[in-house]
Amino acid sequence: MPQPSTGTLLFVGCATFDSIALVQDYPAADSRTVAADFVTAGGGPAATAAVAAARAGARTAFAGVLGTDEEGDRIISGLEAEGVDTSAVIRDASVKTGASVIVVSKATESRAIVTRPVPPVSFPSGSRFHELLDTAAWVHADHLGWNAVAGVPGLTLSVDAGNPIPSFSPRGVTLYVPTVERLRAEYGEDLAVEALLRKAVDDGASAVVATAGSEGAWVLADDGEAVHVPATPANIVSTLGAGDVYHGALLAAVAAGLPLGEAAAFAGRTAAASCAGLDGRSMIPHQTITPVLASNNPA
């Protein structure tokens, strides 16, 4: 893995504006349901990861495409309030900002999402995005940001591969972070997790962290053994955005120099804490990254 860095972590991809309601049971047709809570908040994999990294003390920037509408304004103000550099965001009057209505059910511990798609993520040559791309210590891309960074030489690259990415290859990816489910879809349902990780390294990733929700995560660097990192117990109000928080905290920890296993444990604790909030961001802790004891995390 690269040496510790205090440079900018650039997050590229999706930002949304979310309206989230907490209910006991999902509403029936033609009904009126009283919510136990209702919040609005910024969301999106890359944008929420940037917030998580910022709250862990990293210098962060976000690059994506927003409309010139109210939702875009609120996304920008929310990111800037967290100290995230938004100078590379494209505001396009011809598109609408990504937005979602999310209903979280206490009875089923699940959620239903109605979403307005995020505009395609692309940046004109000579834009502020390319300036940041040239100087960033790390670049993190989600499924929508991948095409903007794929094939760019010299990047220290982290990829959130929880969602499908067409034509994706982990070759050249410094830190590849899929779900175990995604690895099984790619390499075979019958393989053990360690074998799945090694397949990803064989395909060119330098290091892999595969997440599995309540089962924790498995990590594998190119020169090490596969290690299981248990999940952190959580007081769950909603798991919305927890995976995105995990990605941001993981990258902040890796960039700060933590070994991969310790970084995964730090990310797991951070994501677990975020689940105490209805939205994906309000309960992300403000924290300082320090190594955990080897006895607690043998990686």
Side-chain angles (χ1 to χ4, degrees):
M1 297 296 289
Q3 294 298 309
S5 173
T6 58
T8 297
L9 312 182
L10 174 61
F11 294 81
V12 185
C14 178
T16 64
F17 190 74
D18 298 338
S19 299
I20 311 143
L22 177 65
V23 300
Q24 183 63 31
D25 296 292
Y26 288 123
D30 298 320
S31 67
R32 180 178 184 273
T33 300
V34 177
D37 197 5
F38 188 94
V39 299
T40 57
T48 297
V51 171
R55 291 196 181 186
R59 183 189 306 166
T60 65
F62 170 75
V65 177
L66 305 175
T68 55
D69 44 26
E70 180 184 359
E71 292 91 339
D73 293 343
R74 294 180 72 173
I75 288 170
I76 290 291
S77 63
L79 291 172
E80 291 179 345
E82 299 287 349
V84 178
D85 178 353
T86 63
S87 62
V89 172
I90 300 294
R91 302 297 300 272
D92 184 347
S94 70
V95 302
K96 291 184 177 181
T97 297
S100 298
V101 175
I102 302 162
V103 179
V104 178
S105 167
K106 292 194 289 184
T108 62
E109 296 184 348
S110 62
R111 60 181 181 262
I113 301 175
V114 180
T115 191
R116 181 169 70 200
V118 175
V121 176
S122 62
F123 305 91
S125 60
S127 66
R128 173 63 174 157
F129 166 73
H130 293 285
E131 294 178 12
L132 286 175
L133 200 64
D134 288 341
T135 59
W138 279 85
V139 177
H140 175 85
D142 65 18
H143 62 294
L144 293 182
W146 168 251
N147 285 337
V149 302
V152 177
L155 298 182
T156 305
L157 185 60
S158 163
V159 176
D160 171 358
N163 291 306
I165 305 176
S167 304
F168 172 77
S169 168
R171 184 160 305 280
V173 174
T174 314
L175 179 61
Y176 176 39
V177 193
T179 61
V180 171
E181 181 182 19
R182 178 56 44 198
L183 288 179
R184 285 180 173 145
E186 181 68 24
Y187 297 118
E189 294 288 340
D190 297 331
L191 292 179
V193 174
E194 181 171 347
L196 294 171
L197 298 176
R198 295 195 182 281
K199 285 278 190 181
V201 169
D202 289 344
D203 276 352
S206 297
V208 184
V209 177
T211 61
S214 62
E215 296 180 18
W218 284 261
V219 305
L220 179 68
D222 55 0
D223 58 352
E225 296 297 319
V227 175
H228 179 235
V229 180
T232 300
N235 174 26
I236 297 177
V237 173
S238 170
T239 59
L240 182 67
D244 310 329
V245 171
Y246 185 98
H247 285 273
L250 177 70
L251 182 54
V254 168
L258 265 66
L260 194 58
E262 291 186 8
F266 174 84
R269 294 193 299 272
T270 304
S274 76
C275 292
L278 179 56
D279 64 290
R281 295 186 186 174
S282 61
M283 296 303 290
I284 301 172
H286 294 267
Q287 55 195 327
T288 300
I289 297 174
T290 54
V292 297
L293 294 175
S295 60
N296 292 334
N297 179 23

